[in-house]
Amino acid sequence: MENKLTLEQIQNFEGKYPKQLWYLFLVEMWERFCFYGMRGVLTIFMADQLLGLSLSDKEANLKYGAIQAFVYAFTFIGGIFADKILGFKKSLTFGALVMILGNLIIAFSPQQFFYFGITLSIIGTGFFKPNISSMVGDLYKEGDPRRDAGFGLFYSGINIGALLGGSVCVYLGTSKDYGWSYAFLSAAVVMVIGLATFMLTKKSLGPIGDSPLQELPTAKRTTREIMVYVGSLISIPLIFMMIKNTDYTDYFMYTIGPLAILYFLYETIMEKDNKAQRKLIAAFVFIMFSVIFWAFFEQSGGSLALFAKNNLHHTLLFFDINPNIVNNTSNSLFVIIFSPILGLVWLAMAKKKVEPNTVIKFGLGFLFLALAFYVFYYTKFFADANGVTSLNVFTLAYFVITFGELCLSPIGLSIMTKLSPKRLSGMMMGMWFLASAYGQYAAGLLGAGMSSPDEKASLITKLQGYTEGYYQLALYALIAGVLLIVISPLVKKLMQEVK
């Protein structure tokens, strides 16, 4: 038996980042390429009247919300199975294989096999996604001050993948020379690279991500693992049906949320330690607010994608560019540029003892979100007689929204790992992603509500509908931000020593 690295050896690393973080960074980067590439083309592919699924804008928004919701809901389920049976490493490998297969099937014939392929992608992402963040958390000892910096770096990796995927897939999908099959094929190819990277580097993770059932006899353990794989494959027809008909999605979302909350309450009540209980309640507050945040933020894949497709000029500063590439990549680009800068700002403020606490940062995230949607609304004042408006103002809104995301999302992942007791870390990561599922689902409903019911509506009518919707979202985001800042002392008390 070779000498396996111990957890102690991994966590006693020198310098700022453990080397394993770079490996996980690369694996996640390729998975995000695949995920954001797909997300960028979903709505425009579904609304493409010639080569896509030729759905109405409203239908495309609803289906987008449903697909994204299932991706995140499955993450909750995948997180629990990884926690209890598979361990993170096996869960990730299985998820990657299923995702690759799903993308290859769509690439083969996008119009015919879209729903089947996307069903596999949903299951694969569910097993893949929660595990990398949890493994990043395990690289650090409890209370290691370098953990936030690690999540910051990891987050920029996510965004490099999103930037590449967002531009490449939209370019291939909308290009006359290539088309939709190439967009989906490119997502499969990069996922193969991601999986290969993981297989080559997973030894360096030592015991991190191993199956939690190590002490069981091998035969018993293997039986349980096989049951998880079979169970996930049995769910294919169910998910397929729910995406195909979004009415079923509604029933699903009305069921899984309350069940997850009941399960959370059960685990919180069963928690003997009073302090841990309070921390779980604090985590729950963050989770509930994040639902609202993502419902607004995720307009980028739904209504904003259609807005970009129909209502924007193709000129950004001096460049001629597809507005959907801007819609799909500007946020990632701004995150890559400003994430380290904002990190330095927080550090400088911390030195002067004026750094806002996590709850206030969350509140600030909403205030930036409100301002961004006000700018999206403001694009209507730059529209020409045909209802086509400025790509520059649109991009400015993304610049603002990025700061909202940076105040909330990287901290969110880190705070979940800090507030959860060790035994519930997968469940809490899952709850965090499930909150995103509800956000995505609500995003689809909000987008559908803004889109014109009449497919033959003029661009002016579409512009009016969307910008009025963005004005409403700006107001709601403002209210949520102010509320969070007001209740911050109470939440801070619940968090106790966690910063």
Side-chain angles (χ1 to χ4, degrees):
M1 187 78 181
E2 59 185 308
N3 274 340
K4 206 169 172 184
L5 271 175
T6 63
L7 194 59
E8 187 76 12
Q9 287 169 316
I10 293 171
Q11 291 179 338
N12 284 337
F13 61 93
E14 298 290 318
K16 201 169 180 188
Y17 305 110
K19 67 172 186 195
Q20 291 83 352
L21 184 66
W22 295 101
Y23 303 149
L24 292 174
F25 168 100
L26 281 171
V27 177
E28 179 75 345
M29 184 180 93
W30 292 121
E31 189 269 339
R32 294 289 81 189
F33 179 110
C34 175
F35 180 83
Y36 279 92
M38 292 282 284
R39 168 177 171 256
V41 294
L42 273 182
T43 319
I44 43 179
F45 166 71
M46 292 191 288
D48 182 345
Q49 299 299 317
L50 286 174
L51 303 165
L53 299 185
S54 55
L55 301 177
S56 70
D57 285 6
K58 184 176 180 179
E59 263 296 289
N61 263 307
L62 286 173
K63 281 219 183 347
Y64 168 77
I67 289 167
Q68 292 291 85
F70 281 119
V71 165
Y72 283 95
F74 233 83
T75 313
F76 175 62
I77 299 163
I80 291 175
F81 281 132
D83 255 2
K84 306 266 189 250
I85 299 171
L86 293 179
F88 299 138
K89 286 177 184 153
K90 281 186 178 153
S91 182
L92 186 145
T93 309
F94 174 64
L97 288 168
V98 178
M99 280 168 84
I100 292 164
L101 186 63
N103 283 321
L104 287 174
I105 287 173
I106 304 179
F108 184 70
S109 172
Q111 281 171 311
Q112 257 185 306
F113 295 136
F114 175 74
Y115 291 113
F116 183 53
I118 210 79
T119 300
L120 289 177
S121 283
I122 286 168
I123 294 170
T125 311
F127 276 95
F128 188 102
K129 196 171 158 44
N131 303 315
I132 291 234
S133 318
S134 300
M135 287 198 271
V136 171
D138 287 343
L139 297 173
Y140 296 90
K141 283 194 176 115
E142 289 281 317
D144 188 327
R146 297 172 292 187
R147 177 189 294 238
D148 278 4
F151 269 102
L153 174 77
F154 178 66
Y155 205 67
S156 65
I158 292 179
N159 281 284
I160 293 169
L163 177 71
L164 295 170
S167 43
V168 171
C169 291
V170 172
Y171 170 73
L172 291 172
T174 54
S175 144
K176 291 196 170 40
D177 304 330
Y178 299 104
W180 296 116
S181 285
Y182 283 91
F184 294 109
L185 180 64
S186 68
V189 170
V190 296
M191 209 50 229
V192 172
I193 301 172
L195 180 58
T197 310
F198 181 68
M199 298 316 270
L200 292 169
T201 58
K202 69 176 184 181
K203 232 195 228 140
S204 70
L205 290 165
I208 293 175
D210 285 347
S211 166
L213 308 176
Q214 292 295 359
E215 58 291 337
L216 275 189
T218 314
K220 256 191 181 169
R221 194 169 74 216
T222 311
T223 312
R224 288 193 193 177
E225 286 170 5
I226 290 169
M227 278 165 68
V228 172
Y229 300 143
V230 172
S232 58
L233 297 177
I234 291 172
S235 65
I236 290 175
L238 192 72
I239 297 176
F240 180 86
M241 188 176 77
M242 287 196 272
I243 300 167
K244 199 103 195 229
N245 180 349
T246 47
D247 291 348
Y248 293 127
T249 312
D250 299 342
Y251 303 136
F252 177 78
M253 296 307 280
Y254 297 150
T255 315
I256 192 159
L259 286 177
I261 290 173
L262 286 173
Y263 181 57
F264 168 82
L265 288 173
Y266 165 76
E267 288 287 15
T268 308
I269 292 161
M270 294 311 284
E271 180 57 62
K272 301 280 183 286
D273 180 4
N274 204 301
K275 276 184 159 177
Q277 258 185 346
R278 283 189 201 148
K279 283 186 199 166
L280 282 168
I281 295 165
F284 192 70
V285 174
F286 286 120
I287 287 168
M288 293 319 280
F289 271 94
S290 76
V291 173
I292 305 168
F293 185 88
W294 296 121
F296 295 6
F297 184 87
E298 281 301 329
Q299 293 305 314
S300 55
S303 71
L304 285 166
L306 294 170
F307 185 70
K309 175 176 164 251
N310 299 317
N311 290 94
L312 290 177
H313 288 299
H314 281 240
T315 329
L316 179 62
L317 300 175
F318 319 105
F319 307 104
D320 183 60
I321 186 167
N322 178 338
N324 261 109
I325 289 183
V326 175
N327 177 55
N328 215 25
T329 57
S330 49
N331 175 237
S332 312
L333 181 64
F334 291 141
V335 167
I336 294 162
I337 298 168
F338 292 102
S339 179
I341 298 171
L342 194 65
L344 293 172
V345 170
W346 294 142
L347 282 174
M349 289 175 87
K351 273 198 179 120
K352 294 192 168 145
K353 304 233 183 314
V354 289
E355 186 191 6
N357 64 49
T358 305
V359 198
I360 300 277
K361 282 182 186 170
F362 249 64
L364 287 172
F366 277 96
L367 299 184
F368 278 117
L369 187 68
L371 181 59
F373 272 100
Y374 188 73
V375 179
F376 281 129
Y377 156 72
Y378 212 73
T379 54
K380 76 185 256 185
F381 299 110
F382 292 83
D384 60 19
N386 303 323
V388 180
T389 185
S390 162
L391 182 55
N392 292 328
V393 179
F394 182 84
T395 312
L396 174 67
Y398 265 112
F399 174 71
V400 178
I401 214 170
T402 299
F403 287 95
E405 185 192 1
L406 286 175
C407 285
L408 186 134
S409 195
I411 302 168
L413 282 173
S414 183
I415 202 79
M416 283 302 117
T417 59
K418 286 180 190 169
L419 289 171
S420 333
K422 193 94 197 101
R423 66 182 186 89
L424 296 178
S425 70
M427 178 193 87
M428 291 310 287
M429 271 295 170
M431 286 282 287
W432 177 251
F433 287 127
L434 189 61
S436 299
Y438 273 85
Q440 305 279 357
Y441 171 65
L445 295 176
L446 289 168
M450 289 178 221
S451 56
S452 169
D454 173 18
E455 266 321 282
K456 307 217 168 22
S458 68
L459 290 182
I460 287 273
T461 312
K462 287 185 174 182
L463 178 82
Q464 286 290 354
Y466 282 126
T467 51
E468 283 309 310
Y470 299 146
Y471 184 72
Q472 296 288 317
L473 296 188
L475 271 178
Y476 295 140
L478 180 65
I479 294 165
V482 171
L483 179 64
L484 249 176
I485 290 167
V486 170
I487 63 166
S488 66
L490 180 71
V491 183
K492 211 170 155 247
K493 223 181 210 161
L494 288 169
M495 289 167 68
Q496 294 152 80
E497 79 286 353
V498 174
K499 287 285 178 284

